[in-house]
């Protein structure tokens, strides 16, 4: 009797062991399939043909994490995003993919294509700015040399702030070996971040985001001072009826800034400007680019359309146009490194990718940019 019970117990144990083994085997086969799928994916465009083994391992481990959530700590750098205001975690995005994202943002962001950009490894960029100019004087060889005045210096601190993007995809799409996950993810992150940061560079209040140049006060021509932009009014709310305003704007910019100056305006302001003609010749002031890729020009200077510039509405005062050298006038600061966190739970059946980076921006020269105010005064 006891012998029969022992035999049945042994058979039950063997059956449970067989089931556990089959489950383990199935899991291993699934992981092997996942690795094969990741290895068959297209290579990032522009990636060097000769890649070190360590870099290859980092990229493979990153793609396994993105596509399947497989975490492989070997040769894969995992860093914490912990800071004063952030306690989330994530993986460091490999450098080739970061370059793809930055390249896409640079092509589609008006401000990034014009402004000065600096990458730092800290949370703040500190600059010493001259509020005036240093005086100089001519003197004979044996004559006295009186002391010249020195400009007033101002310290500007540009802090970086966190910006994020949360693109999502289905797990079935991520499992497709022919689907280029790298380019899809880089493009989605770039587009979402670009729209947000470009708005901040123009209209940001500096509270948890970059300080936009349109948020600073304006004064009339000839009354410029540090912290305020000089502006030219069109004389009518929400309208531009006289081309002399544009000529006055061009002439108000100092010669050293003209060699890189551009017009930045909203699409609605562009529609108003394109109607203006030269009173003597009758030609349109707006000239389209004659070659592929060449920018349109206004009074000989390139035109950049920025959707985040204020919309021009008849009867409503606005600052829908600016003219100047944005490279000399505005500073963008990027903190090195971007991070990503894979979230397959919050938006089932989709997988969300929480990507973060830190960026800041502020005006560094108020003489380099002039504002056109579509207003009566």
């Amino acid at each position: 009797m006891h012998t029969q019970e022992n035999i049945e117990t042994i058979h039950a144990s063997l059956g449970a062991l067989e089931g556990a083994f089959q489950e383990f085997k199935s899991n291993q086969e699934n992981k092997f399939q996942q690795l094969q799928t990741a290895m068959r994916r297209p290579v990032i465009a522009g990636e060097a043909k000769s890649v070190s083994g360590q870099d290859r391992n980092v990229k493979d481990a990153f793609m396994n994490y993105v596509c399947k959530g497989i975490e492989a700590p070997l040769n894969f750098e995992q860093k914490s995003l912990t800071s004063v205001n952030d306690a989330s975690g994530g993986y460091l995005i490999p450098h080739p993919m970061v370059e793809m994202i930055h390249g896409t943002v640079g092509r589609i962001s008006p401000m990034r294509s014009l402004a000065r950009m600096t990458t730092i490894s800290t949370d703040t960029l500190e600059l010493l700015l001259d509020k005036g100019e240093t005086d100089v004087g001519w003197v004979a060889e044996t004559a006295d040399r009186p002391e010249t005045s020195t400009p007033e210096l101002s310290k500007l601190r540009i802090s970086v702030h966190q910006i994020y993007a949360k693109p999502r995809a289905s797990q079935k799409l991520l499992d497709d070996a022919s689907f280029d996950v790298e380019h899809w993810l880089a493009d989605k992150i770039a587009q979402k971040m670009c729209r947000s940061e470009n708005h901040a560079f123009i209209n940001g209040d500096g509270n948890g985001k970059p300080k936009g140049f349109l948020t600073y006060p304006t004064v009339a021509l000839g009354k410029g001072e540090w912290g305020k932009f000089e502006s030219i009014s069109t004389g009518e709310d929400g309208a531009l009826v006289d081309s002399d305003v544009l000529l006055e704007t061009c002439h108000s910019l100092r010669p050293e800034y003209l060699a890189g100056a551009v017009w930045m305006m909203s699409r609605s302001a562009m529609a108003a400007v394109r109607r203006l003609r030269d009173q003597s010749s009758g030609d349109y002031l707006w000239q389209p680019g004659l070659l592929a890729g060449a920018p349109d020009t206004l009074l000989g200077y390139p035109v950049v359309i920025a959707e985040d510039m204020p919309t021009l509405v008849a009867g409503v005062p606005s600052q829908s146009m600016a003219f100047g050298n944005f490279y000399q006038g505005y500073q963008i600061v990027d903190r090195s490194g971007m991070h990503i966190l894979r979230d397959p739970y919050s938006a089932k059946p989709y997988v969300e990718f929480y990507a973060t980076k830190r960026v800041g921006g502020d005006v560094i020269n108020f003489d380099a940019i002039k504002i056109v105010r579509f207003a009566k005064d």
Side-chain angles (χ1 to χ4, degrees), residues 136-269:
V136 297
W138 294 96
V139 66
E141 183 177 355
T142 59
D144 293 336
R145 289 163 172 77
E147 183 179 351
T148 60
S149 62
T150 57
E152 182 182 355
L153 298 178
S154 173
K155 179 182 286 188
L156 176 64
R157 294 171 55 91
I158 303 179
S159 299
V160 293
H161 311 280
Q162 188 177 99
I163 182 174
Y164 73 93
K166 291 181 67 175
R168 63 173 61 174
S170 67
Q171 185 61 58
K172 183 177 181 181
L173 187 62
L174 296 175
D175 289 339
D176 188 349
S178 63
F179 177 58
D180 193 345
V181 181
E182 296 96 330
H183 282 85
W184 171 85
L185 189 57
D187 185 63
K188 288 296 183 181
I189 293 174
Q191 289 188 22
K192 291 180 181 294
M193 287 187 174
C194 177
R195 289 193 293 267
S196 181
E197 70 175 24
N198 198 73
H199 179 81
F201 296 149
I202 297 175
N203 301 294
D205 59 8
N207 184 20
K209 60 176 69 68
K211 179 77 170 177
F213 69 88
L214 284 186
T215 60
Y216 283 94
T218 61
V219 294
L221 286 178
K223 298 182 179 180
E225 59 183 276
W226 184 261
K228 298 180 180 180
F229 285 109
E230 290 186 339
S231 66
I232 300 92
S233 298
T234 63
E236 185 173 343
D237 291 343
L240 178 63
V241 296
D242 192 347
S243 61
D244 289 344
V245 173
L246 304 180
L247 292 171
E248 185 179 8
T249 304
C250 283
H251 296 159
S252 67
L253 197 66
R254 285 161 51 176
E256 59 263 37
Y257 301 131
L258 287 174
V262 300
W263 296 94
M264 181 180 291
M265 65 186 72
S266 62
R267 193 171 299 277
S268 53

Side-chain angles (χ1 to χ4, degrees), residues 309-332:
M309 293 290 286
T311 302
L312 185 62
V313 180
V316 179
S318 66
Q319 298 179 151
S320 303
M321 185 185 302
F323 176 72
N325 190 319
F326 288 86
Y327 183 83
Q328 297 293 336
Y330 196 87
Q331 174 73 62
I332 295 175

Side-chain angles (χ1 to χ4, degrees), residues 281-303:
S281 64
D283 296 333
Y284 286 104
L285 300 181
W286 180 287
Q287 295 296 321
L290 300 179
L291 301 176
D296 299 333
T297 60
L298 177 62
L299 298 177
Y301 295 95
V303 176

Side-chain angles (χ1 to χ4, degrees), residues 26-159:
S26 176
N27 290 337
Q28 292 299 109
E29 290 176 350
N30 288 338
K31 288 184 178 181
F32 181 72
Q33 283 293 119
Q34 292 167 2
L35 291 174
Q36 281 190 322
T37 300
M39 294 298 293
R40 290 198 301 268
R41 296 187 182 279
V43 178
I44 296 178
E47 186 178 10
K49 293 181 180 180
S50 178
V51 181
S52 68
Q54 183 177 1
D55 292 340
R56 183 76 256 176
N57 289 340
V58 170
K59 177 181 179 296
D60 290 345
F62 176 77
M63 293 313 303
N64 289 336
Y65 170 71
V66 167
C67 297
K68 298 297 181 182
I70 301 174
E71 300 185 15
L74 181 62
N75 292 326
F76 186 40
E77 185 178 12
Q78 182 180 13
K79 291 187 176 180
S80 173
L81 290 178
T82 303
S83 65
V84 175
N85 298 316
D86 179 40
S88 61
Y91 282 109
L92 187 68
I93 298 178
H95 183 67
M97 189 169 179
V98 173
E99 288 186 336
M100 290 174 60
I101 295 172
H102 285 169
T104 302
V105 171
R107 289 192 300 270
I108 64 181
S109 170
M111 284 297 293
R112 280 193 175 271
S113 65
L114 300 174
R116 187 189 304 265
M117 292 189 293
T118 301
T119 300
I120 61 176
S121 59
T122 59
D123 290 333
T124 304
L125 174 67
E126 293 188 357
L127 301 172
L128 280 178
L129 305 177
D130 296 341
K131 289 188 176 181
E133 292 185 344
T134 302
D135 287 340
V136 297
W138 294 96
V139 66
E141 183 177 355
T142 59
D144 293 336
R145 289 163 172 77
E147 183 179 351
T148 60
S149 62
T150 57
E152 182 182 355
L153 298 178
S154 173
K155 179 182 286 188
L156 176 64
R157 294 171 55 91
I158 303 179
S159 299

